[in-house]
């Protein structure tokens, strides 16, 4: 099942997605503080961070996502 915790390898991806897509009718209108708050809320709902943890430019990249090491590196096949 694809969820924030099982699919995205980095918490910064959440911040970037929210920044580009939210709010739906007015994308790219949230302040950085609002973006960090939404990212923290999503991470907390998925059990990745605690309810009272602070998210900002220093703490967000340090969040260790559950499936961070579960991805396979793509190596293209060499031509024959």
């Amino acid at each position: 099942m694809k969820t924030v915790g099982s699919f995205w390898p980095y918490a910064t991806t959440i911040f970037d997605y929210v920044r580009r897509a939210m709010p739906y009718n007015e994308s790219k209108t949230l302040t950085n503080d609002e973006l960090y708050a939404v990212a923290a809320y999503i991470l907390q709902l998925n059990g990745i961070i605690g309810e009272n943890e602070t998210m900002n430019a220093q703490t967000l990249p340090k969040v260790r996502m559950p499936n961070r090491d579960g991805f396979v590196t793509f190596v293209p096949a060499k031509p024959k």
Side-chain angles (χ1 to χ4, degrees), residues 5-10 64-73:
S6 68
F7 187 69
W8 285 344
Y10 306 104
R64 184 104 176 133
M65 298 298 281
N67 198 31
R68 186 175 194 158
D69 298 323
F71 287 81
V72 178
T73 303

Side-chain angles (χ1 to χ4, degrees), residues 5-6 10-11 14 16 24 26 32 34-35 40 46-48 54-55 62-63 69-72 80:
S6 68
Y10 306 104
I14 297 166
D16 184 59
Y24 177 73
E26 298 177 52
N32 280 344
E34 291 170 327
L35 291 167
N46 281 267
I48 298 168
T54 301
M55 282 294 110
K62 294 178 183 176
V63 173
D69 298 323
F71 287 81
V72 178
K80 293 181 181 182

